[in-house]
Amino acid sequence: MADLSKYRNIGIFAHVDAGKTTTTERILKLTGQIHKTGEVHDGESTTDFMEQEAERGITIQSAAVSCFWNDHRFNVIDTPGHVDFTVEVYRSLKVLDGGVGVFCGSGGVEPQSETNWRYANDSEVARIIFVNKLDRLGADFYRVVKQTQDVLGANPLVMVLPIGTEDEFTGVVDLLTRKAWVWDDTGLPENFEIQDVPADMVDKVEEYREMLLETALEQDDDLFEAYLEEGTEPSMEEIKRCIRKGTRTMDFFPTYCGSAFKNKGVQNILDAVVDYLPSPTEVDAQPLTDEAGEPTGAVATVSADETFKALAFKITDDRFGTLTFVRIYSGTLKKGDTILNAATGKTERVGRMCEMQADDRNELTSAQAGDIIAIVGMKSGVQTGHTLCDPKDPIVLEAMVFPKPVISISVKPKDKGSTEKMGLAIGKMVAEDPTFKVETDEDSGETILSGMGELHLDIKVDILKRTYGVELEVGKPQVAYRETITQAIEDSYTHKKQSGGSGQFGKIDYRIKPGEPGSGFVFSSVVVGGNVPKEFFPAIEKGFKGMMDTGVLAGFPVLDVEIELYDGGFHAVDSSAVAFELAARGAFRQSIPKAGAQLIEPIMKVDVFTPDDHVGDVIGDLNRRRGMIGGQEAGVSGVRIKADVPLSEMFGYIGSLRTMTSGRGQFSMEFSHYMPCPNNVAEEVIAEVKAEKAAKDAARK
């Protein structure tokens, strides 16, 4: 059995372009896992192995690699930074025990870093901070440390100080040992010398060292008291034990700096992962739930001696077949074992399993609690978030919750041959990515792809073309509009039908009112005295709920409606579940227009970065797009503007922003909430939907 205390399951996450993938490359080189580092800008890095990643120089899907450092085994996951792929970060954090948050020395805490940091807080993942790219123009370690406090509300525990900045950056001073690590100009990570602290930095080192000790020793009252009252400094072991404890409880985050590209400061990060990030046995065990997702109070104890429990957190299709990435929480798994998929109730035998090295693999015969592995060719309909367990001890692990798509496009194959290929390819892609949805428009027969943003769908279409050879015609992007109501009303509806023999009868009296934002559909009944027998309540609820998918204004799904049944009537012979379900459907059609039906649109949280001299243009443009400006924040190289903007106004925004800012502006956006559409916009949308429908009807005739 492997020693679990020597395992570290860590994720590397950050904003686009802060240097996550480069940092992962350096870790692999230092640990002897690869012999030549590949650069992101040359499209040659180990973990960015998809064609689309190599071309665009961004990470799209998280990649897993394993390596060893100081006798410890690291399972490292390099995650994407782009907002459209945050689901990759979310699901990776769900199964990791620790993380390295990478921040750019000049860009600082950027929008996506905030989102990822929030995910990591939600998942309660201990982290260390790495301020990267200190060799860049405008890099400032101290400013980024302050930003982590102000923007993220984090408590950075500074462990090293940089020696020089920008072109002059040569190394770091380790505050605990008071030693300087200085690298030469060859760019080789092993070419460094340990020296004394530079004379001009001695005072600063002492000042920061004192802050470090005071913060760390607060974790142990006795050591803290001895240090404050008697000036007794504890042993290095005791200091490290306190830092490890505070990191584990997220009281603070050990903070390092360097330049991954220039191979400076990466060893300190690896040592910190071993010294301060938790092993699988030190993190809170995963909660178990019942089939409805309610917590049972039990947990999956991390131990090889328990029964097998694992979570499938990612599914991907490669040249060898379908891979299901699995984090094993307890027990062991051997080749040939039979396991149960708790979500589908199906069992299957494990054929091949392997440890992943990005897109290479090492075959395994067994794995145990704490491991992150891939199982090849699973057949039991496994999807992201499904629990795999021992058939004799069926359990469900806490599931993952994914955001709903906000943008869709219609696609159709250019030729007959592509139609079948497209169906198979899209089936695989939906299994891989829970935020990518597909449906068929019943009226037009078109295939509708929905996702998290323009780039997300752009990449999906690209994968269909290149990976699967499907040529597509792509329609213009569609916004996921919704409908809701604005007034509370009371109403009554009777469904009567007589046609020889027994007929149908169902009468319902009900109240309809707007629900809380995000509440969806809520049904309740306060009927007393048996005017509507209890056994018909589920049919009435089913009738109303079934109508929520198609609103009365333009056929968009309806959100946030509360319906209360308070009276009604039934017939001893003619009443049935079907009659009451039909009554509820008729009631919905009758009452929703009376309750002030309204079109609502998705509002995006937009974060724009612009150089100082273009701020006015950018704000003016956001206002024209019906944006509400939430705030501005000046940085060293420009201004960040936060705004809420309707998604319908954001199509093609990157082109406009680049034109306005001479190519220097950047932005990211994520779904925030739904808001009522202005009347003129609602009228346009409804007219457009009706015109499309009329055109389809005419084409059919």
Side-chain angles (χ1 to χ4, degrees):
M1 284 289 168
D3 178 358
L4 282 179
S5 67
K6 301 222 161 155
Y7 269 54
R8 298 288 181 275
N9 290 320
I10 60 167
I12 296 191
F13 58 90
H15 186 85
V16 174
D17 213 23
K20 301 172 299 299
T21 302
T22 306
T23 305
T24 308
E25 273 306 285
R26 299 306 183 260
I27 288 173
L28 294 180
K29 174 78 171 65
L30 272 170
T31 55
Q33 202 61 51
I34 55 174
H35 300 295
K36 172 186 178 293
T37 48
E39 300 307 344
V40 175
H41 51 261
D42 297 334
E44 289 179 351
S45 65
T46 309
T47 51
D48 283 356
F49 52 82
M50 286 169 65
E51 280 178 68
Q52 290 82 0
E53 294 178 311
E55 272 175 23
R56 294 166 198 248
I58 61 169
T59 303
I60 291 168
Q61 58 174 21
S62 43
V65 286
S66 299
C67 52
F68 289 86
W69 180 257
N70 285 356
D71 265 0
H72 284 65
R73 177 199 172 94
F74 290 7
N75 291 318
V76 185
I77 295 188
D78 170 30
T79 62
H82 198 285
V83 66
D84 287 9
F85 309 106
T86 40
V87 62
E88 289 283 345
V89 182
Y90 167 74
R91 61 178 170 193
S92 301
L93 283 168
K94 175 87 178 150
V95 298
L96 294 168
D97 307 321
V100 179
V102 181
F103 299 99
C104 172
S106 61
V109 178
E110 294 167 288
Q112 206 46 39
S113 336
E114 281 183 65
T115 305
N116 293 341
W117 195 264
R118 196 173 65 241
Y119 282 157
N121 284 343
D122 293 346
S123 302
E124 295 183 359
V125 171
R127 278 146 283 167
I128 52 183
I129 292 171
F130 178 47
V131 180
N132 189 21
K133 301 194 176 184
L134 280 192
D135 54 322
R136 268 221 179 156
L137 197 64
D140 182 342
F141 173 67
Y142 302 99
R143 188 185 82 248
V144 180
V145 167
K146 180 146 182 19
Q147 278 187 336
T148 58
Q149 293 169 313
D150 299 346
V151 181
L152 304 176
N155 183 10
L157 183 72
V158 176
M159 304 292 292
V160 300
L161 294 183
I163 303 170
T165 52
E166 301 182 355
D167 293 350
E168 319 264 291
F169 176 66
T170 55
V172 298
V173 174
D174 181 334
L175 293 177
L176 284 182
T177 58
R178 294 189 177 94
K179 289 291 175 197
W181 295 51
V182 180
W183 279 265
D184 63 19
D185 291 335
T186 58
L188 295 169
E190 53 275 14
N191 286 8
F192 66 91
E193 281 182 14
I194 304 249
Q195 303 173 356
D196 288 333
V197 175
D200 60 343
M201 285 183 71
V202 170
D203 292 348
K204 197 162 206 174
V205 166
E206 288 310 311
E207 177 197 337
Y208 271 86
R209 191 170 191 274
E210 195 170 315
M211 291 195 302
L212 161 62
L213 289 179
E214 282 183 12
T215 307
L217 297 180
E218 281 175 5
Q219 299 292 323
D220 185 312
D221 294 344
D222 296 344
L223 295 178
F224 190 47
E225 211 170 297
Y227 176 67
L228 286 185
E229 288 177 12
E230 298 152 31
T232 320
E233 188 174 298
S235 68
M236 196 60 81
E237 282 308 303
E238 287 173 322
I239 297 171
K240 284 188 171 180
R241 177 175 58 76
C242 289
I243 297 174
R244 187 178 178 85
K245 182 181 171 195
T247 307
R248 163 71 197 89
T249 52
M250 302 199 301
D251 288 345
F252 47 71
F253 302 93
T255 300
Y256 292 81
C257 64
S259 162
F261 182 56
K262 297 277 176 66
N263 279 311
K264 294 173 182 172
V266 181
Q267 286 98 325
N268 311 75
I269 290 285
L270 294 175
D271 290 340
V273 169
V274 168
D275 289 342
Y276 308 126
L277 288 183
S279 72
T281 53
E282 292 171 305
V283 294
D284 293 342
Q286 276 288 317
L288 303 181
T289 65
D290 59 21
E291 284 170 9
E294 293 301 317
T296 59
V299 294
T301 311
V302 179
S303 158
D305 304 328
E306 298 276 321
T307 55
F308 175 70
K309 301 177 188 70
L311 189 72
F313 69 96
K314 179 178 164 68
I315 291 156
T316 177
D317 212 58
D318 77 355
R319 57 189 190 274
F320 306 111
T322 304
L323 295 173
T324 304
F325 283 81
V326 169
R327 162 73 198 261
I328 303 177
Y329 285 106
S330 49
T332 54
L333 182 64
K334 295 187 177 63
K335 201 171 158 177
D337 281 358
T338 297
I339 56 176
L340 168 73
N341 178 344
T344 61
K346 294 180 182 167
T347 55
E348 72 174 289
R349 203 166 152 274
V350 176
R352 291 165 59 209
M353 46 199 232
C354 49
E355 168 192 291
M356 294 306 294
Q357 292 298 349
D359 61 342
D360 286 335
R361 55 183 64 188
N362 304 328
E363 295 281 336
L364 299 172
T365 51
S366 71
Q368 65 157 31
D371 279 332
I372 291 178
I373 60 159
I375 302 175
V376 185
M378 289 192 76
K379 302 280 190 300
S380 63
V382 69
Q383 289 179 2
T384 301
H386 281 183
T387 299
L388 305 174
C389 57
D390 185 327
K392 297 190 198 72
D393 181 20
I395 55 101
V396 182
L397 287 158
E398 188 179 62
M400 299 181 177
V401 182
F402 296 111
K404 297 270 189 299
V406 290
I407 178 173
S408 53
I409 52 173
S410 61
V411 295
K412 59 174 186 236
K414 284 189 176 164
D415 51 55
K416 278 270 166 56
S418 292
T419 307
E420 197 171 312
K421 273 201 291 194
M422 182 176 88
L424 290 170
I426 286 180
K428 288 177 178 175
M429 288 161 69
V430 169
E432 288 178 16
D433 182 350
T435 59
F436 177 55
K437 298 273 186 267
V438 174
E439 54 194 5
T440 304
D441 183 322
E442 286 170 19
D443 294 336
S444 65
E446 286 177 325
T447 301
I448 309 290
L449 308 182
S450 306
M452 300 308 293
E454 281 183 283
L455 179 67
H456 190 199
L457 292 179
D458 194 22
I459 299 246
K460 295 296 181 198
V461 170
D462 201 36
I463 291 171
L464 280 167
K465 278 184 187 163
R466 283 205 256 177
T467 311
Y468 297 104
V470 180
E471 284 296 327
L472 294 171
E473 284 175 21
V474 180
K476 70 180 178 65
Q478 299 290 322
V479 177
Y481 288 104
R482 295 288 180 262
E483 298 180 21
T484 190
I485 55 170
T486 53
Q487 295 157 22
I489 61 160
E490 274 191 18
D491 212 344
S492 176
Y493 188 87
T494 307
H495 171 72
K496 247 196 287 199
K497 197 175 179 189
Q498 209 61 43
S499 55
S502 66
Q504 290 181 352
F505 180 85
K507 175 177 185 292
I508 52 173
D509 299 335
Y510 51 91
R511 299 181 185 100
I512 291 188
K513 65 174 185 178
E516 288 293 314
S519 62
F521 169 73
V522 179
F523 176 79
S524 60
S525 168
V526 291
V527 176
V528 286
N531 285 352
V532 179
K534 274 205 173 75
E535 64 263 29
F536 297 137
F537 292 175
I540 297 168
E541 180 174 0
K542 185 182 170 193
F544 277 123
K545 196 172 185 180
M547 296 298 283
M548 293 284 290
D549 290 339
T550 339
V552 295
L553 293 175
F556 293 111
V558 182
L559 295 184
D560 309 333
V561 172
E562 283 185 28
I563 297 178
E564 181 183 75
L565 181 70
Y566 69 89
D567 205 353
F570 79 107
H571 185 280
V573 177
D574 292 352
S575 286
S576 64
V578 171
F580 274 104
E581 188 181 328
L582 291 169
R585 285 172 166 271
F588 190 90
R589 278 191 293 269
Q590 168 184 294
S591 300
I592 292 293
K594 297 182 193 173
Q598 182 179 51
L599 204 63
I600 51 178
E601 61 183 344
I603 304 294
M604 309 303 281
K605 197 163 84 182
V606 179
D607 213 313
V608 187
F609 170 82
T610 168
D612 291 332
D613 40 355
H614 299 292
V615 174
D617 297 342
V618 171
I619 288 179
D621 181 64
L622 287 171
N623 285 332
R624 275 192 296 281
R625 293 172 187 269
R626 298 193 283 124
M628 293 281 293
I629 307 297
Q632 297 177 46
E633 200 178 289
V636 172
S637 49
V639 175
R640 271 176 58 190
I641 300 162
K642 296 189 177 201
D644 284 348
V645 191
L647 174 63
S648 59
E649 304 287 346
M650 290 301 290
F651 293 133
Y653 180 62
I654 188 66
S656 311
L657 180 64
R658 283 182 182 149
T659 308
M660 275 183 293
T661 59
S662 315
R664 290 158 65 204
Q666 287 176 325
F667 87 104
S668 72
M669 66 176 185
E670 59 185 313
F671 172 70
S672 174
H673 57 284
Y674 274 96
M675 282 283 284
C677 277
N679 284 344
N680 59 333
V681 176
E683 281 162 17
E684 258 175 56
V685 172
I686 292 167
E688 211 174 283
V689 170
K690 285 184 176 158
E692 267 177 39
K693 196 169 184 314
K696 284 170 189 169
D697 290 346
R700 244 192 248 128
K701 286 172 189 165

